[in-house]
Amino acid sequence: MANDSHQRAAEFHEQAAHAHRAAAAGHGKGDHFTGHEHSKQAMEHAAKAWQYSQEAHEQSAMFFKQQKEKKA
């Protein structure tokens, strides 16, 4: 369902934000290896968030199209 895709997208956005904060903390402490790893995780989570956002958008568009066709 579209709601599930929206929820999953939100979860991955939150995970990406957390990984970005962890990367910033690592870099701030001079631990560039850990910071780099967290940055990599953030990118992976952001990509998944984008994927689920696209899926949710497509599902929502289909739902609204179906609703419009029912009214016609």
Side-chain angles (χ1 to χ4, degrees):
M1 297 315 225
N3 195 32
D4 292 339
S5 294
H6 286 288
Q7 182 64 36
R8 292 294 288 156
E11 290 170 5
F12 280 111
H13 278 295
E14 290 172 8
Q15 290 174 353
H18 175 72
H20 278 295
R21 287 189 295 272
H27 283 292
K29 293 177 182 177
D31 186 355
H32 298 292
F33 177 76
T34 299
H36 175 72
E37 287 300 311
H38 285 296
S39 293
K40 184 178 170 185
Q41 285 179 342
M43 287 295 296
E44 290 170 1
H45 292 312
K48 287 180 183 178
W50 183 84
Q51 178 184 0
Y52 280 106
S53 294
Q54 289 296 102
E55 183 178 309
H57 175 73
E58 290 170 7
Q59 290 173 352
S60 293
M62 279 194 300
F63 174 78
F64 284 112
K65 182 180 177 183
Q66 290 171 349
Q67 295 303 311
K68 186 177 179 181
E69 289 173 354
K70 285 182 182 180
K71 290 180 182 180

